Amino acid sequence: MARLIGLGSGAAMTVALLMGLTGLVAVADDTARADHESTDTLDVRDRGEVAASFENEVIQPIAAVPADPAWTGDLDPACNEGTIPPSLGQAALSQINWFRDMTGAAPLSRSAQLDNMASGAALLLAANIERVFDGDNPHNPPPTWDCYTEQRAEGAGRSNLAAGPSSLLAVDAIRLMNDHEDNNTRVAHRQWMLLPQVRPIGYGATNPSGDPATSSVVLIPENRTARTDEFIAWPTEGYIPMHVTPFRWSLAYHGSNGDADFSNANVTMTYQDAEVPVDVVHTGNAALGPQIVWDFTPGEVIPGPARGEKCDGHAFFCGGLYGEGLAVDATGGDVVVDVRVSGIELRGNTVDHCYRVVVFDPDRSGSAPPPFDIPCSDSPTPTTTTTTTMPQPPSGDCESSFSDTEGHLFEDDIACIADVGITLGCNPPENTLFCPNEDVTRGQMAAFIVRGLDLPDAPDQGFADTDGSVFKEDIDALAQADVTRGCNPPANDRFCPTEDVTRGQMAAFLVRGLDLPAASDQGFVDTEGSVFKEDIDALAQEGITRGCNPPQNNQFCPTEDVTRGQMAAFLNRALIQP
């Protein structure tokens, strides 16, 4: 059974472990292509055009990959990346570009330099696959790993990684787009492959005839400030072949993280006037921006799953790719699904977004095309949707029950984070005090961020110094979400829960947790040379920090400790204030 392990690399990447190893690297720039109105973009409302592009850009490149791809490298003892048949990289790039074309993003090219980085990342994963299966983070490999080099580690930290049977190596890009495992509810692989700013990528694979084989797609965002200010859905509006239709759907808004909020949104899917029960599995920020992700059960209302002969000989789609068959069975006719996402907070307004998806079998003729411009008002009121909530602004002014915050500079911020349950107080069990001038420890910071982001529980993350800490569960949750990596690099086997948090460290925690985009220099005179400079600039650009020396605020004071009052201000601006 395929297994996907959700991990992160700066902006929430994940690793797909499916028993084969590959890798891709991509670089983002400021240029982003507009929506489907572009004349050189695939017309997703044209069934024949989508079918032809799927055949030419997905099926044929996959068919060109040898059944037993040769690899000239080795793992032991030389740790040699070697070479792979060119058709493997060509198939991966073609698949990714087809998905991007479907959503209106510009096509990608490959870079020889990034190919080398991706090959190294795939080799590193292959050499340490048992460690990964045992729980090691393949995006943050320590120097103790076999075949470790800094370049291979950098590639692994910037990659979509896959491992699985060699028979599936040619369809790694499709597996990554599915993101169907329980620990990939953020669909981070999908997000990165659809990111409009990405341009050149690198692809590498190791041991393609072995078990496992591995692959790497390296994605290096150099500048993610360009935004198209549009909704990006997968599956997108229009026709989509049933062979690549997942049961996990997503809708993102490609704007700044503060532009849209899906935390109170509802999803309604309908098929033949019947409502499809859905389960919202994630709301929050990701590479594309704020998003909502939901699952449906194949066969419950929508026809499916498709198995056996219904795959028309494409066994890698029906069998290994999905295990239990395709999510939607369109062999009996086109499957028209209407989607309505209601209650989206968009720049101060509440809006709905509606679109129509037609799942079809490219090997069979279809019926007359349906109208695609559907009014949102015609969609039924959702009754079976479940949602995940984030902390919401309290109604009216925030009121503090703490006896030591009246008149404090951060009194309102403290009251607001208390109202939504991010803080409980500093003197349990009474919790009548907040202690605003005390420094924040790393353990306390973990609790603040986990409550604020509503992060799920996590298994033990292996830190040697957290057993017995009251914040152990929060620390594990923070580490699983890749908001923290440890306090003693490169080993990173400790968290240091009782140490104080500096303002620079706090910036890094919040930028990772909120997945904030890169920013231009914000003019602080004391951040040059700081390892946290990029995080500080990103935080300032979003208005979460203003500086440490008002009214000038031309300094950030990155090495100073964060007080509990300051942390309340950061969290209120980041998570609660509209």
Side-chain angles (χ1 to χ4, degrees), residues 551-568:
Q552 296 90 350
N553 277 331
N554 62 349
Q555 298 178 40
F556 182 76
C557 309
T559 61
E560 290 187 5
D561 291 337
V562 180
T563 68
R564 289 171 57 89
Q566 291 169 343
M567 179 62 81

Side-chain angles (χ1 to χ4, degrees), residues 136-490:
D136 281 11
N137 182 345
H139 287 302
N140 189 24
T144 54
W145 269 25
D146 297 336
C147 299
Y148 179 92
T149 67
E150 289 186 1
Q151 180 175 334
R152 289 169 184 163
E154 181 183 1
R158 299 174 180 269
S159 293
N160 276 349
L161 296 167
S166 58
S167 60
L168 294 180
L169 196 63
V171 291
D172 275 337
I174 300 173
R175 294 190 292 162
L176 293 168
M177 278 293 294
N178 291 341
D179 267 344
H180 65 278
E181 291 292 327
D182 289 344
N183 57 347
N184 281 320
T185 56
R186 296 183 66 187
V187 293
H189 296 112
R190 178 187 302 174
Q191 290 265 325
W192 278 94
M193 288 197 289
L194 297 181
L195 191 66
Q197 301 99 304
V198 172
R199 285 296 177 270
I201 66 171
Y203 177 86
T206 293
N207 203 27
S209 296
D211 187 3
T214 62
S215 69
S216 167
V217 181
V218 179
L219 300 139
I220 304 179
E222 290 185 335
N223 191 327
R224 293 171 49 207
T225 58
R227 298 284 167 170
T228 60
D229 293 322
E230 63 179 2
F231 288 101
I232 299 177
W234 188 256
T236 187
E237 176 209 87
Y239 286 95
I240 177 172
M242 71 177 195
H243 303 87
V244 292
T245 302
F247 63 77
R248 176 161 293 160
W249 294 24
S250 59
L251 177 68
Y253 185 75
H254 191 235
S256 298
N257 284 336
D259 288 348
D261 183 0
F262 291 89
S263 58
N264 281 331
N266 288 303
V267 177
T268 303
M269 294 175 67
T270 55
Y271 168 70
Q272 293 185 346
D273 296 324
E275 187 173 332
V276 181
V278 302
D279 179 22
V280 173
V281 295
H282 174 72
T283 60
N285 295 318
L288 283 171
Q291 68 166 354
I292 187 168
V293 185
W294 67 94
D295 294 349
F296 71 90
T297 302
E300 188 169 0
V301 175
I302 296 175
R307 298 184 176 95
E309 70 279 359
K310 292 183 177 181
C311 288
D312 293 322
H314 303 313
F316 46 76
F317 288 117
C318 273
L321 191 59
Y322 287 91
E324 296 301 320
L326 305 182
V328 179
D329 181 3
T331 56
D334 293 353
V335 177
V336 181
V337 180
D338 290 342
V339 179
R340 178 193 185 196
V341 182
S342 59
I344 306 167
E345 297 298 325
L346 183 62
R347 295 176 177 169
N349 298 309
T350 302
V351 302
D352 297 350
H353 185 71
C354 301
Y355 55 102
R356 174 165 287 171
V357 177
V358 181
V359 183
F360 75 107
D361 183 353
D363 296 318
R364 289 170 170 79
S365 59
S367 53
F372 283 98
D373 295 319
I374 58 172
C376 277
S377 58
D378 288 346
S379 298
T381 301
T383 58
T384 59
T385 301
T386 60
T387 60
T388 300
T389 60
M390 294 281 286
Q392 296 302 304
S395 57
D397 295 332
C398 304
E399 295 185 5
S400 174
S401 60
F402 298 121
S403 61
D404 61 346
T405 60
E406 184 176 355
H408 195 278
L409 175 63
F410 301 115
E411 178 182 4
D412 291 340
D413 299 298
I414 295 165
C416 286
I417 69 168
D419 278 358
V420 297
I422 294 176
T423 185
L424 306 176
C426 67
N427 61 325
E430 294 85 1
N431 280 328
T432 56
L433 304 174
F434 181 75
C435 309
N437 297 319
E438 290 188 5
D439 292 337
V440 177
T441 68
R442 288 171 58 89
Q444 292 168 344
M445 177 277 311
F448 281 135
I449 295 180
V450 167
R451 293 177 199 143
L453 296 179
D454 193 24
L455 296 179
D457 293 339
D460 185 278
Q461 298 295 297
F463 292 120
D465 60 349
T466 59
D467 283 340
S469 171
V470 69
F471 302 113
K472 175 174 172 50
E473 292 183 359
D474 300 302
I475 294 165
D476 286 335
L478 209 65
Q480 178 169 272
D482 202 44
V483 178
T484 184
R485 294 159 190 166
C487 67
N488 60 324

